[in-house]
Amino acid sequence: MHIESAEVIALEIPFTDGSSGTGLMPNRWTKVQIALLKLQTSDGLTGWGEGFAYAHLNTTVSALNELVLPLVIGQTIESPAAFNLQLQQKLHLHGRYGITQFAMSAVDIALWDLMAKQAGKSLAALLNSDHRRQLPCYASLVRYGNPDTVAHYTADAAARGYQTIKLHEISLDNIRAGREAAPLPVRLTTDVNCNWTPEQAQSLMPHMRDMALFWVEEPLFPPDNEKQLAQLQTEYGVSIASGENACTSVEFARLAEHIDYLQPSVIKVGGISEFLKVCDLAEAANKKIMPHSPYFGPGYQATLQLMAARPVCELFEHLFIDLENFLDPACPQCADGSVAMPGTDGLGFEPDPKMLQRYRIN
Ligand SMILES: [Mg+2]
């Protein structure tokens, strides 16, 4: 494939989520930011990718335009995985992880989209001819920070048929409100986003065990202290999930033996190529993957394709917010706790030009 041109489209799509806005960032989170990459080949194919942007859209866009895309445009690429390693080597002096890797993830995803389209197959079919068509998903709630609101949205998710629900609550009263609103057999988890001190973890983990939490996600800072995570898991008998902030399979090789659930994020870890290597590692370590995918750009479909192809991936994460519009009107929706694969070639992400025009900011 000869890459003739590339364009980065910066998008912001408003959403509502019922929260008071106390998210992970200093400012209230009201818009999903998407750094969308469009690659075009000399034979007329279009590939789509996405780099993690969360609340730093311009940073990811700049990394793509200044660092990564000059090494992509004009290249003839036969293997996205080999090209990914070449990019990693050329750019390693800018940092192996973080923004550089998010930008490389976008390129890798777009190249795999092109590969599958060239083969006239979905990405899942390109990776595994016997892939799944329907995938289980879980509701990933935002942080509400008060028990009544937690109870309301947890009950709402359970009523919509989700058998697994993830809170992003960090205090005992809020987590307990979720448990009471969704008793067993609903599987309940909470994502701490690295907010507990070791002392807080010591006092809270027995309650997580008593409430039979399915997993506790990123309890401690820093998240890459895998031995400390393993110690919590063993001491309290509650599964630990982590990995959304790990980049490349190198970091997962350190993590895999220590915790029950690995959480690579396709638009952060290094794209499809690195995600597939994490699948291999998880299989070898007899661990399950719970992909990190609170996304609404190509990262959403890329995760579905990977999950369909690799049964080591267990549940699709669906962020429980009301997005004003989807870029792709055919974006598969979670219903009754499961989601169907897109029916088209490649990733199955085909944005409506009118939506791109409406939400682009650059
Ligand atoms: Mg998380």
Side-chain angles (χ1 to χ4, degrees):
M1 303 181 296
H2 183 76
I3 306 302
E4 197 166 76
S5 66
E7 183 188 7
V8 189
I9 304 169
L11 299 147
E12 288 186 340
I13 309 177
F15 68 89
T16 53
D17 64 6
S19 79
S20 58
T22 49
L24 307 180
M25 287 291 159
N27 302 317
R28 183 158 185 205
W29 193 39
T30 57
K31 289 174 181 168
V32 167
Q33 301 194 338
I34 300 172
L36 180 67
L37 174 64
K38 179 182 187 181
L39 293 185
Q40 290 196 283
T41 66
S42 52
D43 48 7
L45 289 176
T46 300
W48 297 100
E50 178 182 4
F52 184 68
Y54 192 47
H56 54 258
L57 182 56
N58 291 333
T59 315
T60 303
V61 170
S62 292
L64 272 161
N65 282 325
E66 290 183 22
L67 273 180
V68 181
L69 292 179
L71 301 172
V72 177
I73 296 163
Q75 297 298 308
T76 299
I77 299 162
E78 299 309 330
S79 160
F83 186 73
N84 187 318
L85 283 179
Q86 281 174 34
L87 277 184
Q88 287 188 39
Q89 187 169 7
K90 283 181 182 156
L91 293 170
H92 76 275
L93 66 167
H94 297 282
R96 295 266 296 132
Y97 308 122
I99 302 290
T100 323
Q101 197 60 247
F102 305 165
M104 283 192 271
S105 299
V107 170
D108 186 86
I109 293 167
L111 289 175
W112 278 100
D113 187 24
L114 288 168
M115 287 286 286
K117 282 172 174 162
Q118 197 176 48
K121 294 177 177 181
S122 69
L123 178 60
L126 185 71
L127 298 171
N128 178 356
S129 58
D130 190 26
H131 66 88
R132 292 182 284 178
R133 259 75 179 178
Q134 192 81 24
L135 301 162
C137 48
Y138 72 87
S140 186
L141 277 54
V142 299
R143 185 175 304 154
Y144 306 106
N146 88 72
D148 290 343
T149 317
V150 173
H152 171 80
Y153 283 99
T154 309
D156 183 19
R160 292 187 200 206
Y162 286 100
Q163 288 302 301
T164 306
I165 297 169
K166 181 163 91 182
L167 308 175
H168 281 81
E169 303 301 332
I170 57 179
S171 69
L172 184 55
D173 57 342
N174 286 317
I175 300 167
R176 185 168 277 145
R179 178 78 285 181
E180 285 168 2
L184 290 168
V186 173
R187 298 192 296 191
L188 189 74
T189 80
T190 200
D191 186 346
V192 181
N193 294 109
C194 307
N195 271 287
W196 290 345
T197 63
E199 294 72 28
Q200 287 171 319
Q202 296 290 335
S203 89
L204 288 164
M205 284 299 283
H207 297 285
M208 304 302 114
R209 180 188 56 213
D210 294 346
M211 288 189 278
L213 286 209
F214 186 39
W215 76 67
V216 173
E217 183 167 328
E218 290 198 321
L220 299 170
F221 185 82
D224 41 4
N225 189 342
E226 57 274 356
K227 291 195 178 118
Q228 218 174 357
L229 296 179
Q231 203 182 337
L232 277 187
Q233 182 172 274
T234 306
E235 190 172 345
Y236 298 104
V238 178
S239 289
I240 301 290
S242 186
E244 69 183 74
N245 292 303
C247 290
T248 81
S249 52
V250 175
E251 291 205 308
F252 278 93
R254 282 197 292 269
L255 188 61
E257 66 175 289
H258 293 286
I259 58 170
D260 285 346
Y261 298 117
L262 305 176
Q263 300 183 292
S265 190
V266 70
I267 69 174
K268 298 173 89 173
V269 72
I272 309 285
S273 298
E274 289 293 331
F275 194 112
L276 288 169
K277 291 185 204 171
V278 178
C279 290
D280 294 341
L281 283 168
E283 282 169 5
N286 202 23
K287 300 294 169 70
K288 285 288 181 189
I289 289 181
M290 299 291 182
H292 176 257
S293 60
Y295 304 132
F296 296 95
Y300 186 104
Q301 281 86 350
T303 306
L304 290 177
Q305 299 288 342
L306 283 159
M307 287 191 63
R310 301 298 295 260
V312 71
C313 301
E314 200 165 302
L315 292 169
F316 179 73
E317 177 177 21
H318 179 256
L319 190 62
F320 201 68
I321 63 174
D322 287 319
L323 197 65
E324 188 172 277
N325 270 301
F326 286 82
L327 295 176
D328 177 353
C331 180
Q333 304 292 324
C334 292
D336 285 330
S338 85
V339 58
M341 290 295 295
T344 48
D345 290 350
L347 297 177
F349 173 83
E350 296 302 334
D352 178 345
K354 287 198 290 293
M355 291 296 153
L356 295 183
Q357 197 55 39
R358 179 166 173 183
Y359 293 113
R360 75 180 295 159
I361 59 166
N362 63 344

